[in-house]
Amino acid sequence: MGFGSTHMWSQRHSAGKAHRGLLMVLLVLILACGAGGFELYREGHAVKSQSADILTSMKTLSRQMTTGDFEGVATSAAKIEKQAAQARSTVDGPLWQIASQLPLIGEDVKNVRTLVDALSDISEKGIGPVAQQAKSGDAFRLAEAYIQLDAEIEKAKKTVDELSRGSNDEVNNAVARAKEYLGRVPDFSELGAIKESGKHSYDLDT
């Protein structure tokens, strides 16, 4: 084999190695995307369940506030804080950050992250202070905490109302349920007055 033939064989051999190397990289990327997609799907269902649980717990909380069950308020608040923290921890992960920038699913992922952030803010900045003051027994500070909670709910309502409709029905339905609840939730600052007047609590299930 002459020099020219050897050189050509070497070039073809190098090109073949490069081609195989590119195929391996593509294969790894495909497998990674597949695994990431499955993980996103699994986590998405968990977050959907957690968001629904948060709204259910908030309904329970409103009834406990109406009846003056401050021990129950503290218990429900702690439960909501835990649920919200779990959901926020999931959607703040790198997989969700990357997915929010992708075509087709990006809008839905952004909607889920925004919804979770809104509910988490209600929990951290609104429900947490209410639970703290409920334990203290200070009626004046508890009233102030109720006002703060109302403000956080109003802020979350505005944020969720501005979400655009995505392509995933499950996400759209979760957002719709949150919009419906936040649109009907009473002013928590009025619940103390409701209790004093002997009226029944708001029924948020109807």
Side-chain angles (χ1 to χ4, degrees):
M1 181 182 292
F3 174 76
S5 299
T6 303
H7 181 65
M8 290 177 61
W9 179 86
S10 177
Q11 284 183 321
R12 285 197 299 271
H13 182 67
S14 297
K17 286 178 65 177
H19 183 65
R20 286 194 297 274
L22 178 60
L23 288 177
M24 287 299 296
V25 170
L26 289 174
L27 180 60
V28 170
L29 286 174
I30 290 169
L31 291 174
C33 289
F38 176 76
E39 185 67 12
L40 187 68
Y41 175 81
R42 186 186 67 79
E43 290 181 351
H45 274 273
V47 169
K48 175 189 170 187
S49 177
Q50 289 162 347
S51 298
D53 289 344
I54 290 170
L55 293 176
T56 299
S57 297
M58 286 179 65
K59 293 176 184 179
T60 301
L61 185 74
S62 70
R63 295 188 181 94
Q64 291 166 332
M65 289 177 175
T66 303
T67 59
D69 178 10
F70 295 133
E71 184 177 340
V73 166
T75 300
S76 292
K79 182 178 180 181
I80 292 170
E81 285 183 286
K82 182 178 179 181
Q83 292 165 334
Q86 289 174 336
R88 176 169 262 174
S89 175
T90 298
V91 301
D92 279 350
L95 179 62
W96 285 75
Q97 293 179 31
I98 294 171
S100 66
Q101 304 301 318
L102 296 177
L104 300 178
I105 66 169
E107 192 67 28
D108 293 303
V109 174
K110 287 177 185 176
N111 284 351
V112 172
R113 297 185 73 197
T114 301
L115 175 60
V116 168
D117 282 343
L119 295 178
S120 295
D121 283 345
I122 292 175
S123 172
E124 293 173 13
K125 302 174 184 178
I127 293 174
V130 166
Q132 185 178 357
Q133 298 307 327
K135 288 179 181 179
S136 73
D138 188 323
F140 178 75
R141 294 198 174 186
L142 180 58
E144 287 185 328
Y146 281 160
I147 293 172
Q148 182 178 341
L149 174 56
D150 288 339
E152 290 301 326
I153 289 174
E154 188 60 31
K155 191 188 302 181
K157 179 180 181 297
K158 186 171 184 281
T159 298
V160 174
D161 281 344
E162 290 175 352
L163 291 178
S164 58
R165 184 175 178 82
S167 59
N168 185 282
D169 287 339
E170 287 190 64
V171 173
N172 290 331
N173 290 338
V175 170
R177 281 195 295 272
K179 285 182 179 180
E180 181 185 6
Y181 171 75
L182 293 173
R184 291 190 295 132
V185 68
D187 287 338
F188 283 97
S189 56
E190 295 179 0
L191 293 181
I194 294 171
K195 175 181 176 294
E196 292 301 322
S197 66
K199 294 179 182 178
H200 294 295
S201 64
Y202 289 90
D203 186 358
L204 298 177
D205 291 321
T206 57

